[in-house]
Amino acid sequence: MTEASTYDFLIVGAGLFGAVFAREMTDAGYRCLVIDKRSHIAGNVYTNNINGIQVHQYGAHIFHTNDETVWNYVNRFAEFNDYEHRVEVNYQGETYSFPVNLKTFQQIWGIETEEEAEKKLEEIQQQNVGSDLESWSLNQVGTELYERFIKGYTEKQWGKQASDLPSAIIKRIPVRTTADDRYFNDKYQGIPINGYTAMVEAMLAGVKIGLNADFFDPDQQWDKHADRIVFTGAIDAFYKYKYGALEYRSLRFEHELLEQNEFQNRAVVNYTEAEIPYTRIIEHKHFNPTPSDYTVITREYPQAWNTENEAYYPIRDARNLERYNAYKKLAESQPNYIFGGRLAEYRYYDMHQVIASALSKSKKVINELKKTSRDV
Ligand code: UDP
């Protein structure tokens, strides 16, 4: 530790990575300062209480994991309900059960049994060689389901042709012939009853937090406050786009408070046709049934990313990954800078993966610090 530093760690970003890292370091006896450029904690999992409804301000966040350690970890900070995500697709005014399951086969082809659905699936699956999202999807579900559920949604979501996108994006979505119509397969699923903001607040208990604090503000010199910096923002921005900007996809959220009990019968309906500019409508009260004469809905519009708006999704194609690897290499040569989270690791992470990453990174750093202090 240098004499001048007040903190051992400056953690930039009060989202899940920053909060978990701060919790672990604080519990291990290190002094942490967490800053965030926004006026609130919790990053993109931030929930805002509107008329008693926990509104997911930056899009729907449903917690799901098979990792018992991560599940036990989050349950230390919040009480979860047993919400299981079930989505409907709206395509040209017709609704379908999604991801593809027995009900979908029933709705489209009148198929009633798993055996018949399996047979149908084999019949419609194609044999393409490409590894892009389009070829992979056609191999999985054939043309009709691809056109109805995937092509339009994917191309508006990512602003690229499905044939130019990596299939990894869609591999998280199951294809089933059983009656299981849940969006996720994971063993543990739920939503924090009091919202994600309260959960992150509990993670950050006893940690010094600075809001409306921009790490890049030249008047502040935030990096002088601590010996080590944990950065959870975009790694290319941290290095001033030295190797060029990485590509992201951005989103715009349109929230609406309606004076009616219910807008749709579930939390999320996906609008898969290309002509509708939004990808989904979220009705927040279904995440945690709330008796209220009001409801809040959110339309999610994908949009081009530029350095002025929010980066949400990394576009992990070959060109961007090559650039990212150059940044990563640079970061690895500077051990006092630690990068973690969706933007800093340029990964299409879910919440549980961010938490697992923060837990493993903090453990590693604690071990290294202990070793260094032993060696001195
Ligand atoms: N997807 C699709 N149709 C849908 C829902 C998802 O084609 O109705 C594809 C799309 O390419 C999307 C990907 O599956 O980007 C992952 O979807 P998910 O709902 O997991 O996206 P997220 O919630 O992370 O935006």
Side-chain angles (χ1 to χ4, degrees):
M1 199 188 337
T2 56
E3 294 266 336
S5 306
T6 320
Y7 296 97
D8 300 307
F9 290 92
L10 169 72
I11 299 168
V12 183
L16 279 180
F17 190 96
V20 170
F21 197 92
R23 175 79 274 130
E24 293 308 292
M25 289 329 233
T26 305
D27 290 350
Y30 297 98
R31 297 159 310 162
C32 299
L33 169 64
V34 177
I35 59 166
D36 200 295
K37 66 180 176 189
R38 288 178 174 160
S39 59
H40 60 75
I41 59 162
N44 288 346
V45 307
Y46 175 69
T47 45
N48 186 17
N49 189 323
I50 298 178
N51 284 30
I53 301 164
Q54 295 292 345
V55 174
H56 296 211
Q57 205 74 18
Y58 304 94
H61 284 85
I62 299 106
F63 203 90
H64 58 97
T65 185
N66 279 322
D67 185 333
E68 196 177 349
T69 307
V70 169
W71 182 241
N72 289 338
Y73 191 80
V74 291
N75 276 273
R76 270 175 53 192
F77 304 101
E79 189 188 339
F80 280 71
N81 65 17
D82 58 359
Y83 176 84
E84 288 189 322
H85 200 37
R86 288 187 167 78
V87 169
E88 213 161 58
V89 148
N90 183 307
Y91 177 73
Q92 297 184 342
E94 298 289 329
T95 51
Y96 303 93
S97 186
F98 186 84
V100 172
N101 68 82
L102 183 56
K103 207 173 189 179
T104 324
F105 283 91
Q106 225 162 25
Q107 288 164 331
I108 299 179
W109 292 292
I111 284 171
E112 300 291 341
T113 67
E114 282 182 32
E115 293 70 35
E116 277 176 280
E118 270 162 38
K119 207 165 141 243
K120 184 73 189 175
L121 188 61
E122 267 171 42
E123 234 172 78
I124 58 179
Q125 284 177 330
Q126 297 187 4
Q127 308 287 328
N128 296 302
V129 280
S131 63
D132 61 283
L133 192 151
E134 179 167 276
S135 306
W136 194 85
S137 305
L138 289 169
N139 290 351
Q140 292 296 304
V141 297
T143 315
E144 185 155 0
L145 298 182
Y146 171 69
E147 299 277 338
R148 229 181 268 227
F149 298 143
I150 298 168
K151 186 176 165 62
Y153 186 103
T154 296
E155 294 186 346
K156 66 184 168 182
Q157 168 72 0
W158 295 94
K160 285 183 190 289
Q161 300 287 306
S163 52
D164 291 334
L165 286 165
S167 57
I169 290 172
I170 204 170
K171 285 186 175 162
R172 51 169 59 205
I173 311 278
V175 177
R176 307 190 190 100
T177 47
T178 63
D180 182 359
D181 62 347
R182 295 171 311 158
Y183 206 71
F184 306 111
N185 287 324
D186 302 65
K187 186 166 167 196
Y188 307 107
Q189 306 192 19
I191 305 263
I193 288 168
N194 296 318
Y196 287 99
T197 307
M199 178 179 90
V200 175
E201 208 176 316
M203 287 173 170
L204 288 169
V207 179
K208 176 91 176 141
I209 304 165
L211 296 176
N212 302 302
D214 183 358
F215 175 73
F216 297 112
D217 181 349
D219 297 335
Q220 288 293 340
Q221 300 201 311
W222 284 108
D223 52 345
K224 301 279 181 292
H225 290 255
D227 297 332
R228 291 178 183 79
I229 294 169
V230 179
F231 190 76
T232 73
I235 192 166
D236 54 337
F238 184 88
Y239 286 117
K240 314 247 175 310
Y241 305 104
K242 181 183 171 104
Y243 302 127
L246 295 169
E247 265 185 296
Y248 302 89
R249 188 70 172 154
S250 189
L251 297 172
R252 179 171 67 81
F253 299 100
E254 203 178 83
H255 305 287
E256 215 181 323
L257 174 68
L258 302 173
E259 207 177 334
Q260 66 194 65
N261 189 264
E262 189 175 272
F263 176 81
Q264 61 195 24
N265 69 354
R266 62 192 62 230
V268 176
V269 176
N270 289 356
Y271 288 78
T272 55
E273 62 202 88
E275 292 71 22
I276 293 179
Y278 45 88
T279 48
R280 45 194 170 195
I281 300 182
I282 305 163
E283 185 170 15
H284 302 266
K285 74 194 304 189
H286 294 299
F287 286 132
N288 193 30
T290 323
S292 168
D293 295 337
Y294 291 87
T295 192
V296 179
I297 62 163
T298 302
R299 290 188 177 79
E300 201 171 307
Y301 295 83
Q303 61 178 12
W305 172 80
N306 56 51
T307 49
E308 300 304 308
N309 61 19
E310 294 281 345
Y312 285 101
Y313 295 93
I315 301 185
R316 288 169 57 88
D317 59 15
R319 186 175 142 268
N320 284 306
L321 282 178
E322 194 180 314
R323 267 188 194 174
Y324 167 69
N325 284 328
Y327 285 115
K328 190 170 170 236
K329 209 165 155 203
L330 179 57
E332 280 163 0
S333 71
Q334 300 179 309
N336 285 349
Y337 296 155
I338 295 161
F339 293 86
R342 191 183 259 226
L343 296 178
E345 295 179 63
Y346 201 61
R347 298 280 293 267
Y348 185 16
Y349 269 152
D350 280 333
M351 288 180 284
H352 64 286
Q353 295 165 319
V354 173
I355 291 168
S357 166
L359 286 174
S360 105
K361 192 76 199 178
S362 52
K363 205 169 175 181
K364 195 167 159 234
V365 173
I366 291 168
N367 285 337
E368 279 164 10
L369 289 172
K370 274 191 194 146
K371 190 173 173 292
T372 319
S373 66
R374 270 203 308 270
D375 292 347
V376 169

